[in-house]
Amino acid sequence: MFGDSPPIGDSPQEPERPAVAELEAAGQAAMFGDPAPASPPAPAAPQPSTAEGQAYRVLARKYRPQTFSQLIGQEPMVRTLGNAIARGRLAHAFLMTGVRGVGKTSTARLIAKALNCVGPDGQGGPTIDPCGQCEPCRAIAEGRHIDVIEMDAASHTGVNDVREIIEAVRYAAVSARYKIYIIDEVHMLSNSAFNALLKTLEEPPAHVKFLFATTEVDKLPVTVLSRTQRFDLRRIPAATLREHFASICRQEGVEAEDEALGMVAAAAEGSVRDGLSILDQAIAHADADTGGVVTEERVRDMLGLADKSARRRLFASLLGGEAGAMLDEVERQYALGVDPLALVRSLMDLTHQVAVTQVGGGTSSAPTLEERADVEGWAARLSPGQVHRLWQLLLKGHDEVRAAPDPLASAQMALLRVTHAADLPDPGTLASQLSDMLARAPAIPAAPAGEGSAPAAVQAEASVPSIDWAALCDQVEDRGRLRVANLMRDWLRVVELAPGRLVYQLVPGIGDEPTADLRDALREATGIKWQVERGEGEGAPSLREEAESLKHAERERVLADPLVQAAFAAFPGAELIEEERAPAGVATRSRAQ
């Protein structure tokens, strides 16, 4: 059931692992007092070579850390483990989590070596600095130790695989201090397998340690997380990776430019293994024209970073409001196979770099000199408000492109919106301009009394009865006569209103005769008989007409404001958008609620 683990030492080939039945037989012999079979002598580890007849080993395998001092970027975890070993406070289960290539499996193997190291003289104990010379250290490094069992949970996901582990942990270690189970990609185990492992994981025998590694810790059950000591391995900073790659190049006898190593470190995205794979490719990419030197130009071509110069040209055209140049660059990138969504995302990344550079004091961390110079120039020229507005426009465009049936057309329209917005002032500048325009605007004289037309509500104020017509409409509505209440509010013009008497006119366009319905509804609402008739004369506006009149008057007042007139002068073609809300002075129940 146990998958073969790749060799991590210097041996070019991995010795054959013993079968599970042999492991259990050896454990039973040790448990019942029979002499344990001695581990086979370790063969001499030949030095790696690219000579004929020997397979080349990639840098990611050749330079796997063999001691904790070689494990870069994980100092907090190493310090914690060192203190735990020194004080004898070792957990029974460890969980290593992090992105790919930061050293999770390598850390598990180093812990196995640290716990089982006996020193060159065979008298040592657990140590954070395993000697690498004793038989346990060498056997673990070469992947042949009988008591260090690795299992790939991606290919052994079932409960039967875990049941074999549960049966085997009862037997003592054959030749080591601890029997160690390293389960890689542990999140791939099934729920049944996790449940079967829980009891053993919580209370394992004293001679057993579990080491788990996973890239997706959120998929592990909480019951498993609570039974392990968790270490979150961090991404390796680009500067640390660059120094590490430079050291490897010196050991390999390869000359590499600092800018080239910086590009490799940036492309690795915090993963040592990814970076070493890219470095391997870069070394192979170097040819006789450069004397075998890993140059910045070769790495840029290899990684496709030449497109970043096109991205910067596109970004410059956006900031300059050059719509034609922007569209040409988008077409050129699309013809080269660049996805429109990826194009917008790259512009967002560049905007983020500019914002971070502004906050960081004007120094960019871009991998190339040209990109650093451009980003630092934009950071100095643009204001923080402009950068954040650009980010919001690109973010909106990104969502539109992702949902559009034609991503290219959507990307072009979104970027055109950005180019047009480049000519607009930021909010601070706009407020200053409007203030200046307001100061220079002539005063608008107030209309003399009696001049102009007053709102209809004011004209009819003298004819409004003393009884509150709006409150009477609410009473009718409270009695459940909704249709009549709406008719009273929207279509009735009151000519005369007194207790028990209503004379009304209808708004033109209503053909029905509502007198009988009005009489019944008013009697139910007030408890008295009403004389209701359709009369002659000029009635007061209906409640709806009064509200519309007040709304129109409010709009005219706003449009006459000097600040609003200055805003319209600054933005030709702008429109006044009205908010849906109850006009002041209209006390209808629906508005009040």
Side-chain angles (χ1 to χ4, degrees):
M1 76 169 227
F2 304 114
D4 294 338
S5 61
I8 60 175
D10 291 334
S11 59
Q13 296 181 349
E14 179 184 3
E16 183 180 358
R17 287 183 177 274
V20 176
E22 297 177 6
L23 292 177
E24 295 185 354
Q28 289 176 355
M31 180 177 182
F32 293 105
D34 295 337
S39 299
Q47 294 298 321
S49 172
T50 57
E52 184 178 358
Q54 294 200 15
Y56 172 72
R57 287 190 303 137
V58 296
L59 298 179
R61 292 184 58 192
K62 183 177 180 180
Y63 290 96
R64 258 185 170 167
Q66 300 301 310
T67 62
F68 281 105
S69 60
Q70 297 175 3
L71 187 67
I72 63 172
Q74 310 299 342
E75 290 78 11
M77 181 197 66
V78 175
R79 184 166 54 252
T80 302
L81 285 174
N83 293 338
I85 292 175
R87 299 174 183 177
R89 303 179 64 88
L90 289 171
H92 59 269
F94 297 90
L95 172 65
M96 273 66 68
T97 179
V99 298
R100 81 275 175 216
V102 293
K104 299 182 296 297
T105 306
S106 297
T107 299
R109 293 170 179 167
L110 290 177
I111 294 176
K113 290 171 65 175
L115 297 182
N116 285 326
C117 178
V118 296
D121 58 356
Q123 303 300 318
T127 174
I128 196 62
D129 296 313
C131 65
Q133 303 175 11
C134 63
E135 172 58 25
C137 286
R138 295 174 60 188
I140 293 172
E142 295 167 9
R144 58 178 177 81
H145 201 290
I146 195 173
D147 291 320
V148 178
I149 303 100
E150 291 193 33
M151 186 183 89
D152 177 23
S155 55
H156 300 82
T157 62
V159 66
N160 291 331
D161 301 307
V162 172
R163 188 176 292 118
E164 292 186 27
I165 296 178
I166 297 173
E167 293 295 329
V169 296
R170 296 182 299 173
Y171 305 112
V174 176
S175 62
R177 184 179 296 111
Y178 294 104
K179 178 183 286 189
I180 295 178
Y181 290 90
I182 300 176
I183 304 180
D184 204 1
E185 301 300 335
V186 68
H187 65 275
M188 299 293 289
L189 290 178
S190 64
N191 289 333
S192 300
F194 276 125
N195 292 333
L197 186 62
L198 286 180
K199 190 60 178 178
T200 302
L201 183 61
E202 184 175 15
E203 299 178 359
H207 60 272
V208 174
K209 302 291 183 184
F210 288 98
L211 305 178
F212 299 147
T214 180
T215 55
E216 301 182 45
V217 69
D218 56 315
K219 292 186 177 181
L220 267 65
V222 178
T223 50
V224 172
L225 294 176
S226 64
R227 289 167 166 84
T228 61
Q229 190 172 100
R230 173 174 168 176
F231 292 104
D232 290 270
L233 277 67
R234 303 177 298 179
R235 290 181 183 267
I236 313 302
T240 304
L241 283 177
R242 181 169 54 188
E243 295 176 1
H244 182 59
F245 297 157
S247 173
I248 290 177
C249 286
R250 287 192 296 269
Q251 297 179 57
E252 290 289 312
V254 175
E255 186 177 351
E257 297 179 355
D258 289 341
E259 290 294 332
L261 294 179
M263 292 180 184
V264 173
E269 298 181 347
S271 171
V272 181
R273 183 174 60 235
D274 288 6
L276 288 176
S277 299
I278 297 173
L279 181 61
D280 231 338
Q281 183 181 358
I283 295 174
H285 197 71
D287 53 22
D289 296 340
T290 61
V293 178
V294 180
T295 63
E296 173 188 356
E297 181 181 359
R298 291 290 184 181
V299 174
R300 181 188 292 112
D301 293 340
M302 182 189 74
L303 296 177
L305 295 180
D307 291 339
K308 288 194 174 182
S309 61
R311 179 185 70 169
R312 296 197 299 275
R313 289 196 303 270
L314 178 59
F315 193 78
S317 65
L318 287 178
L319 296 181
E322 303 170 1
M326 182 274 296
L327 290 178
D328 291 342
E329 193 61 45
V330 171
E331 288 286 354
R332 188 178 302 112
Q333 291 297 303
Y334 186 74
L336 293 175
V338 179
D339 183 68
L341 187 63
L343 187 65
V344 177
R345 190 182 299 115
S346 68
L347 293 174
M348 294 175 64
D349 177 66
L350 199 53
T351 305
H352 175 258
Q353 290 186 39
V354 173
V356 172
T357 301
Q358 288 180 335
V359 176
T363 302
S364 173
S365 59
T368 64
L369 289 174
E370 297 86 349
E371 188 172 357
R372 281 200 293 270
D374 288 341
V375 171
E376 290 172 1
W378 289 322
R381 180 163 60 89
L382 299 175
S383 66
Q386 289 174 317
V387 175
H388 288 285
R389 182 177 61 181
L390 178 59
W391 172 265
Q392 292 295 331
L393 290 171
L394 290 174
L395 182 61
K396 179 176 176 58
H398 180 273
D399 294 340
E400 293 174 353
V401 173
R402 182 171 53 186
D406 187 349
L408 176 60
S410 180
Q412 290 173 331
M413 295 302 296
L415 296 181
L416 280 173
R417 182 169 62 232
V418 177
T419 57
H420 296 322
D423 299 329
L424 298 178
D426 60 84
T429 305
L430 176 62
S432 177
Q433 292 177 354
L434 292 178
S435 299
D436 294 341
M437 296 175 67
L438 179 61
R440 295 193 300 268
I444 300 178
E451 193 172 310
S453 58
V458 178
Q459 292 180 352
E461 183 177 357
S463 61
V464 173
S466 57
I467 296 179
D468 190 345
W469 176 245
L472 191 58
C473 294
D474 292 341
Q475 292 179 12
V476 173
E477 181 178 339
D478 290 340
R479 299 297 297 181
R481 305 294 294 270
L482 301 181
R483 185 183 65 83
V484 178
N486 290 333
L487 175 69
M488 294 168 63
R489 291 191 183 104
D490 296 343
W491 306 110
L492 257 66
R493 293 175 177 173
V494 177
V495 177
E496 180 183 350
L497 180 62
R501 176 175 174 77
L502 170 63
V503 181
Y504 68 91
Q505 282 286 350
L506 289 176
V507 174
I510 300 299
D512 297 337
E513 181 61 42
T515 301
D517 291 338
L518 289 171
R519 186 184 301 111
D520 295 340
L522 290 173
R523 185 179 69 251
E524 292 179 13
T526 61
I528 61 174
K529 293 183 178 181
W530 280 76
Q531 180 184 354
V532 180
E533 61 183 37
R534 188 170 179 176
E536 302 292 338
E538 188 70 23
S542 68
L543 294 179
R544 183 170 65 88
E545 290 176 324
E546 183 180 354
E548 292 177 351
S549 178
L550 290 174
K551 182 179 180 180
H552 178 74
E554 177 68 14
R555 179 182 176 85
E556 293 298 326
R557 185 190 67 78
V558 172
L559 290 175
D561 189 277
L563 184 60
V564 176
Q565 292 183 349
F568 276 106
F571 299 96
E575 297 181 0
L576 181 64
I577 299 177
E578 300 179 4
E579 181 184 1
E580 291 294 334
R581 57 175 180 168
V586 180
T588 64
R589 178 174 298 273
S590 59
R591 296 295 186 184
Q593 289 177 346

